[in-house]
Every structure is written in C-alpha cells, then in structure tokens.
Amino acid sequence: NSITATETALFDEVKVVSMAHSIQDLFMDGFIKIYSGSQPTNADDAPTGTLLCTIYSDGSAAGLEFDDSASGTISKKSTETWTGTAVVTGTAGWFRLQAVGDGGSSSSEDERIDGAIATSGAQLNMSSTSITSGAVQAISTFQITLPAS
C-alpha cells in the first residue's frame, strides 16, 4: 500500500524573526540620538522633539559597541569614547538607542530603546541638559541591565 498526502498552504505574507540575537548583537554599531521634549509613548513611535545630537563611538561616524555581559548587564565598550557634536541648541529631554538601519519613523520592527534624560534619576543622566549647537557631548558610562528570568 502507498499513502499519498498533499497539503497546500497559501500565504499573503511571511515574516521570519530571529530571536537568537543578544541585546549586544542587536545594537552593535547602533547610535544614541538625543532629542528635546518628551519621549514618545513607546519606542515603536516616530521620534518627537528636535534631534539635538547623535552619539558615535568615534564622535563622527562609527557605531557604538558594548562589552560582553557581566551579571546581566552590558556596558559601553571600555575602549570607545562615545561622543557627538550638537547640531542644534536645546534642552535634552530623552534619548533613543537605535540599531543600524533604523529608518527613524514609526516601526514595530526596528530595535530601539528609549529613555528619559535628566541631571539625576533618569535612564541617562547628564551634567547639564542644556545643549549648545557645536558643543561636543560625551557619554562616559552607559549600561543596560536585564532582570534575571
């Protein structure tokens, strides 16, 4: 006896998402953008406010990298100096850590982390939230900690 099975499946759209990447891998060569105003409701939303500065690992073009995880925390790569030159004068209100290729508009597919900026008690603390066009901004310490599951 022989058995023949035929199955047909038709799809309008197929999306494959790899979940095997670490946070370190997702944000490798990404950037931090500092904006004025209040951050969007969630990171899927387009940026709000005015872009004040983009932070690079070399101050002008190269993306950011993180050191390997230690106790659930990844930190800015110790060999990098994260800086950027302000393009506009304003008051920093929030930041977006975004992966390479982020188009900057609303997206539920781009990898992003948003956070508040203040002089203390925020996700990104600066010595002053006042930013002047042409001034170099530096991030000396940056960590992402994930809770134990």
Side-chain angles (χ1 to χ4, degrees):
N1 290 339
S2 85
I3 299 174
T4 302
T6 302
E7 182 176 331
T8 302
L10 302 174
F11 299 95
D12 290 332
E13 179 180 344
V14 176
K15 178 179 172 184
V16 178
V17 178
S18 172
M19 301 304 284
H21 295 289
S22 67
I23 298 276
Q24 181 185 28
D25 291 339
L26 289 174
F27 291 106
M28 180 183 296
D29 296 326
F31 305 94
I32 293 177
K33 295 193 174 194
I34 297 174
Y35 293 90
S36 65
S38 299
Q39 72 188 69
T41 304
N42 69 55
D44 289 343
D45 295 339
T48 57
T50 300
L51 175 62
L52 303 174
C53 182
T54 301
I55 303 295
Y56 305 94
S57 66
D58 66 353
S60 63
L64 309 173
E65 297 204 16
F66 291 90
D67 279 328
D68 290 336
S69 162
S71 302
T73 299
I74 59 171
S75 301
K76 92 178 227 348
K77 197 161 194 70
S78 59
T79 58
E80 293 182 348
T81 303
W82 289 11
T83 59
T85 302
V87 294
V88 175
T89 296
T91 302
W94 69 281
F95 73 92
R96 174 167 283 170
L97 170 61
Q98 62 186 55
V100 171
D102 187 323
S105 59
S106 294
S107 173
S108 61
E109 297 181 16
D110 288 325
E111 289 85 18
R112 303 169 171 165
I113 297 175
D114 289 355
I117 295 177
T119 55
S120 66
Q123 285 89 23
L124 180 61
N125 297 311
M126 300 176 69
S127 57
S128 172
T129 57
S130 295
I131 293 180
T132 303
S133 181
V136 174
Q137 305 300 308
I139 296 177
S140 56
T141 303
F142 191 91
Q143 298 176 322
I144 298 171
T145 302
L146 298 175
S149 53

